[in-house]
Amino acid sequence: MTESVMTSTQTEKRNPWNAIAIALLFVAIYFGLIVTVADQYMNADLSFGLPLAVRTLTAVLGGLLGAVIFLLGDRLEGSTSTITLLLVVAVVFLIIGTYFGLYVAPPEQFMGEVQRIMYVHVPTAWNALLAMTFAFACAIFFLFNGDWKWDALMEGSIEVGVVLAFLLCCQGAIWAKPTWGVWWDWDPRLTTTAVLLFAFLGILALRKFVDDPVRRGVWSSVATIIAYVDVPIVYFSVRWWNSLHQLQSNPNTVSKPFWIPLRANAFGILLLMTAFILLRARVASLRLKNELAPPPALLESELGEVV
Amino acid sequence: MGANLIEAENLARRYGRRWALADVSFKVRSGSVVMVAGRNGSGKSTLFRLLSTAIRPDRGKATIGGFELVREREDIRRTTALLSHYSYLYESLTARENLSVAADHLGKPRSVVMPLLERVTLAQRADDPVSTFSAGMRKRVSFARVLLQEPTLALLDEPYGQLDPEGFLLVDEVVRELKAKGTTVMLATHQLERGANLADDVIILEAGRVQWTGKASDVLTRERPGKAGGTAW
Amino acid sequence: MLIAALRKEMLLQWRTRAQLMAVFVFGAAALLLFSFAVGPVAEMLRQFSAGFLWLGLLLSSTLTLAESYHAEMENHALEGLLLLPANPRALYYGKAIANWIQLTILGMALVPVMVILYDAGTTRIVALFFVVALGAAGLSAPGTLYAAMTAQVRSRQTLLPLLLFPLIVPALLASVKATSLIVLGDPMGQLKSWISLLVAFDAIYWSLCGLLFDRVVEE
């Protein structure tokens, strides 16, 4: 970690927000996953008497808040130990989720082995929506606040969201072919994802074509807001449109044996996504620093060129 | 002439990686005529666009007539008019129509348009589309547009550009009239002698910074400032 | 201020009306090409007529929307207006309304082409006009905003459709469905719900884009 030499003051002090985020994530993982594992495999009740609904809510909120605090609390520079930690833990969870999903969980009643793709598909869907929502929030904050960290975070979360949306479409196609015989089944959720994917790809293209950082930030924030507001409208219109034909829905995995791989993967992808958004935001932040550098001092300037 | 109409501090503006204005500070007295001179690329146009609020500064601040440059943009625009390199004209509309559009947006009656076109000696071409106009004629229409706004501060970027000798005289007349009405005028020009004759004060820009400020009379008499051995503008 | 903006837009549109004619020919040609995709099967063409009409109109809109800023950008006239000062919101609505009118005219002009090529006639002209108008409004609001952005960057031709097309999917779906119901018949009375969707989409985007426009045109 030689970069810590350059950014000494920031890395010496432990960022307190990271500790809070870790604590929140731990709570989320505890109530979301560990309690279920203990219940199923050790017949132990670690739930502190909290009912299922409360535990699920804690898990969801804890996960969300933890991820968001990681994203906002990180100074977008300094040591990469936070990110490395996130990546390692994420991979661990994904391994657990994959193992449970492929080998331990029983095959589903009607669909058989094909259903196992849900263990990746559903968590990817949750996280893709999360990434886009975070991008939307960053866009709003950037327009009101003007702080560049929002632009960097927005760029990171749009890119990661696009990747997740693309994966979602692929997973949907992989599931649809053996099940319905076609690659695409016009399921409203999947179709909305495809539209979302194109919309945000367009925003990334917009960012590429605009050189001025202020304009780029403002315009892509505007476009992100407009695109995100459209998502529910697209969903409802496609659902309406599709309901006139045979409605083919994706299955829901609700019974207990399916929970463990689902949640393990959910946390895994959440942490992975957070780590990638942070990394990407750091890259964006560095570029912005370069673009926004102040004018050179009088002696070094030569016809106003940045030395 | 007394209070300062414009007070600018450390204005800076970049285009890509190049700082068109690096650090510009100055004051302009209300009712005065200021000539802004400098080589091509020294930042004159950028400065005028900044003062007119067409673009924002990346650094620094300024007040015009007591209004802050970025936060009170609307108020500055109400009292400032810019004669720009861009003609701000619609090619498919006639001269009269172009000015009428501006008059409509300003809330002024359309009857003010013809007298202005007469002032810039374009009355006989008033109903020809601007696409048929020469560069000098477009400049005149743009000039009329500035006069239409009845500004407190007139920012004239290269007013003599593309004009014929009669046009030069017209510009001189108009600037004198504006001054007589109490309008503050800033002129960016390469026509040093003409400008200095009209102006009270001069600001010389070089590479996005103020190189020299002083009285117009000094410019005509002192040695040309600039790099050693360099000729000018 | 809005009246001033509208007057200018109408004047500009009138002056450049030859352009609209050219775009109409483009749209009609597109409708012709679509039929080649299906083949000369009368019943299938009739089934898809609404879809073809709206796709044709959508493609034509990328031309007219981009063109609506051509005059503003040539000599930076838009900046000139903003500096007068003109209210950016008024400028947006002026242009959005003008584009709306233009797209509605274009849409209605393409209807006879649809009727002839696909044997997709109807007596419910008034209802059809409403649907075309509402759908055109759905294209015009975000289109005017995005065209303002893309007019100021390079590669503007690719960027405008790239940004606009995913966004207007709901309006496209609703317009196609509604038009289809008018042309092919509406036994279950679904037309109203599709029109409501269009109205909702229009209401949301006409307000949202108006709010955001000044951030797009100001430097």
Side-chain angles (χ1 to χ4, degrees):
Chain A
M1 303 282 173
T2 49
E3 66 262 47
S4 53
V5 172
M6 287 196 306
T7 50
S8 46
T9 35
Q10 273 116 343
T11 53
E12 294 326 333
K13 299 182 222 160
R14 280 221 128 274
N15 192 336
W17 288 108
N18 286 348
I20 297 177
I22 291 176
L24 277 168
L25 282 171
F26 181 76
V27 168
I29 293 170
Y30 180 83
F31 282 109
L33 190 63
I34 297 181
V35 170
T36 314
V37 171
D39 178 47
Q40 192 155 355
Y41 292 102
M42 301 188 283
N43 274 317
D45 180 14
L46 298 176
S47 65
F48 297 112
L50 291 171
L52 180 62
V54 174
R55 280 186 277 138
T56 314
L57 195 62
T58 315
V60 170
L61 284 179
L64 281 176
L65 277 174
V68 169
I69 289 176
F70 256 127
L71 289 171
L72 298 184
D74 188 88
R75 294 285 164 247
L76 290 187
E77 57 194 49
S79 83
T80 53
S81 53
T82 322
I83 298 181
T84 317
L85 176 70
L86 283 174
L87 282 170
V88 166
V89 177
V91 170
V92 166
F93 274 112
L94 285 172
I95 291 176
I96 294 174
T98 311
Y99 175 71
F100 271 80
L102 288 177
Y103 297 109
V104 176
E108 203 259 358
Q109 198 175 0
F110 300 108
M111 280 176 287
E113 305 289 344
V114 175
Q115 175 271 343
R116 292 182 194 273
I117 201 170
M118 288 302 134
Y119 299 132
V120 195
H121 193 59
V122 174
T124 311
W126 290 344
N127 284 294
L129 190 61
L130 222 64
M132 296 314 190
T133 309
F134 185 71
F136 174 67
C138 291
I140 293 187
F141 278 115
F142 182 72
L143 282 184
F144 277 105
N145 189 308
D147 189 340
W148 288 104
K149 90 170 169 209
W150 297 115
D151 183 54
L153 283 170
M154 184 177 77
E155 185 172 320
S157 51
I158 291 180
E159 272 200 21
V160 173
V162 160
V163 170
L164 288 172
F166 175 71
L167 285 176
L168 215 54
C169 290
C170 293
Q171 292 160 359
I174 293 173
W175 180 82
K177 189 68 172 154
T179 314
W180 302 112
V182 287
W183 286 112
W184 193 259
D185 70 336
W186 298 105
D187 168 65
R189 283 171 295 186
L190 209 54
T191 310
T192 307
T193 307
V195 173
L196 192 67
L197 175 63
F198 284 115
F200 281 90
L201 274 173
I203 296 176
L204 286 179
L206 179 66
R207 287 188 73 92
K208 265 261 145 24
F209 282 121
V210 181
D211 297 319
D212 175 37
V214 177
R215 207 178 233 192
R216 181 174 65 215
V218 171
W219 285 7
S220 50
S221 302
V222 168
T224 303
I225 291 173
I226 292 180
Y228 189 77
V229 166
D230 205 27
V231 171
I233 309 176
V234 171
Y235 177 70
F236 282 116
S237 51
V238 174
R239 204 172 77 163
W240 230 335
W241 176 72
N242 209 1
S243 65
L244 301 173
H245 311 276
Q246 178 191 358
L247 183 62
Q248 306 149 325
S249 58
N250 288 329
N252 281 315
T253 46
V254 281
S255 38
K256 273 204 185 166
F258 302 118
W259 278 1
I260 294 175
L262 196 67
R263 289 169 180 213
N265 278 338
F267 282 118
I269 297 183
L270 178 70
L271 295 176
L272 201 68
M273 179 181 81
T274 310
F276 281 139
I277 293 180
L278 270 176
L279 273 173
R280 188 61 187 78
R282 284 183 177 199
V283 170
S285 183
L286 282 172
R287 186 184 66 192
L288 279 171
K289 241 198 199 151
N290 192 23
E291 285 172 331
L292 298 171
L298 187 55
L299 291 169
E300 283 114 280
S301 73
E302 179 71 20
L303 289 176
E305 225 91 60
V306 174
V307 172
Chain B
M1 297 217 238
N4 289 325
L5 183 71
I6 309 178
E7 298 197 12
E9 277 174 65
N10 312 111
L11 291 174
R13 167 78 192 193
R14 71 149 71 70
Y15 285 113
R17 305 205 48 161
R18 201 184 139 267
W19 287 91
L21 286 181
D23 186 357
V24 169
S25 308
F26 60 90
K27 296 195 190 354
V28 169
R29 278 173 305 148
S30 181
S32 62
V33 177
V34 175
M35 174 171 82
V36 178
R39 273 190 268 236
N40 290 329
S42 53
K44 306 190 294 297
S45 292
T46 307
L47 178 63
F48 276 32
R49 283 170 66 70
L50 214 66
L51 291 175
S52 70
T53 73
I55 55 180
R56 293 175 195 223
D58 287 312
R59 285 176 178 250
K61 52 193 172 102
T63 57
I64 299 180
F67 295 118
E68 272 186 47
L69 196 63
V70 177
R71 278 194 326 116
E72 296 171 295
R73 214 168 47 189
E74 288 268 318
D75 300 294
I76 294 179
R77 288 176 178 180
R78 263 183 263 273
T79 54
T80 306
L82 173 67
L83 180 77
S84 167
H85 285 304
Y86 307 127
S87 64
Y88 294 153
L89 298 174
Y90 291 101
E91 293 286 320
S92 53
L93 301 185
T94 66
R96 191 206 295 258
E97 283 164 349
N98 265 292
L99 288 181
S100 300
V101 166
D104 286 346
H105 279 96
L106 285 167
K108 294 189 196 242
R110 288 187 167 195
S111 49
V112 305
V113 168
M114 268 321 276
L116 283 171
L117 283 174
E118 278 160 15
R119 181 79 188 80
V120 297
T121 66
L122 279 178
Q124 67 277 32
R125 297 290 299 270
D127 294 309
D128 292 337
V130 161
S131 52
T132 63
F133 281 16
S134 69
M137 291 161 74
R138 285 154 194 258
K139 200 58 174 249
R140 289 170 193 250
V141 182
S142 304
F143 229 114
R145 202 173 176 281
V146 167
L147 295 175
L148 177 68
Q149 295 177 59
E150 294 180 295
T152 316
L153 169 65
L155 298 162
L156 310 177
D157 194 354
E158 309 280 358
Y160 300 106
Q162 294 116 27
L163 291 177
D164 51 26
E166 277 137 28
F168 277 36
L169 292 174
L170 176 66
V171 175
D172 292 344
E173 269 172 43
V174 169
V175 173
R176 290 204 182 92
E177 276 169 28
L178 285 172
K179 177 164 181 175
K181 277 195 273 191
T183 311
T184 311
V185 180
M186 287 185 79
L187 278 170
T189 182
H190 292 292
Q191 298 280 337
L192 291 185
E193 277 201 44
R194 282 198 106 89
N197 275 319
L198 288 173
D200 303 308
D201 304 304
V202 173
I203 298 174
I204 298 186
L205 291 182
E206 168 69 22
R209 291 173 210 270
V210 174
Q211 203 182 51
W212 188 84
T213 61
K215 295 243 161 293
S217 41
D218 291 345
V219 163
L220 294 167
T221 54
R222 72 174 262 151
E223 257 187 47
R224 296 246 175 89
K227 296 217 165 113
T231 44
W233 327 91
Chain C
M1 185 74 75
L2 179 62
I3 309 286
L6 265 174
R7 278 174 97 174
K8 175 203 90 186
E9 295 295 341
M10 293 292 112
L11 184 58
L12 275 174
Q13 285 224 353
W14 181 248
R15 281 295 151 78
T16 55
R17 58 193 181 276
Q19 242 276 334
L20 187 58
M21 192 58 189
V23 177
F24 165 71
V25 175
F26 168 81
L31 258 52
L32 182 66
L33 290 176
F34 290 146
S35 58
F36 293 144
V38 171
V41 184
E43 197 42 50
M44 276 220 301
L45 286 175
R46 206 156 168 273
Q47 286 280 78
F48 299 144
S49 54
F52 292 156
L53 174 73
W54 281 100
L55 279 181
L57 189 58
L58 183 63
L59 291 173
S60 308
S61 75
T62 58
L63 296 177
T64 57
L65 288 168
E67 181 63 26
S68 73
Y69 279 95
H70 182 60
E72 306 288 354
M73 295 300 163
E74 260 183 312
N75 295 315
H76 295 241
L78 185 63
E79 178 180 290
L81 285 180
L82 287 168
L83 291 182
L84 281 179
N87 186 345
R89 220 148 279 177
L91 294 180
Y92 169 75
Y93 284 114
K95 207 171 266 297
I97 292 175
N99 282 333
W100 179 26
I101 294 174
Q102 201 178 47
L103 283 172
T104 307
I105 293 175
L106 203 52
M108 290 311 288
L110 287 174
V111 164
V113 180
M114 173 184 83
V115 170
I116 293 174
L117 282 178
Y118 313 135
D119 187 29
T122 176
T123 49
R124 300 178 66 183
I125 298 292
V126 176
L128 189 59
F129 174 77
F130 267 115
V131 171
V132 170
L134 286 172
L139 290 180
S140 170
T144 305
L145 182 81
Y146 279 138
M149 269 190 217
T150 58
Q152 299 176 64
V153 295
R154 54 187 201 278
S155 293
R156 62 195 67 150
Q157 283 110 326
T158 10
L159 209 50
L160 180 60
L162 188 54
L163 287 171
L164 191 61
F165 286 178
L167 189 73
I168 48 89
V169 161
L172 183 68
L173 284 181
S175 307
V176 169
K177 270 261 79 85
T179 309
S180 201
L181 289 170
I182 293 176
V183 167
L184 298 174
D186 183 17
M188 292 187 282
Q190 297 163 330
L191 185 60
K192 221 163 175 219
S193 25
W194 289 110
I195 291 191
S196 320
L197 177 60
L198 264 180
V199 170
F201 183 87
D202 290 349
I204 293 173
Y205 279 97
W206 276 78
S207 18
L208 189 61
C209 295
L211 279 174
L212 294 169
F213 186 71
D214 70 327
R215 303 304 298 260
V216 166
V217 288
E218 293 286 2
E219 272 241 26

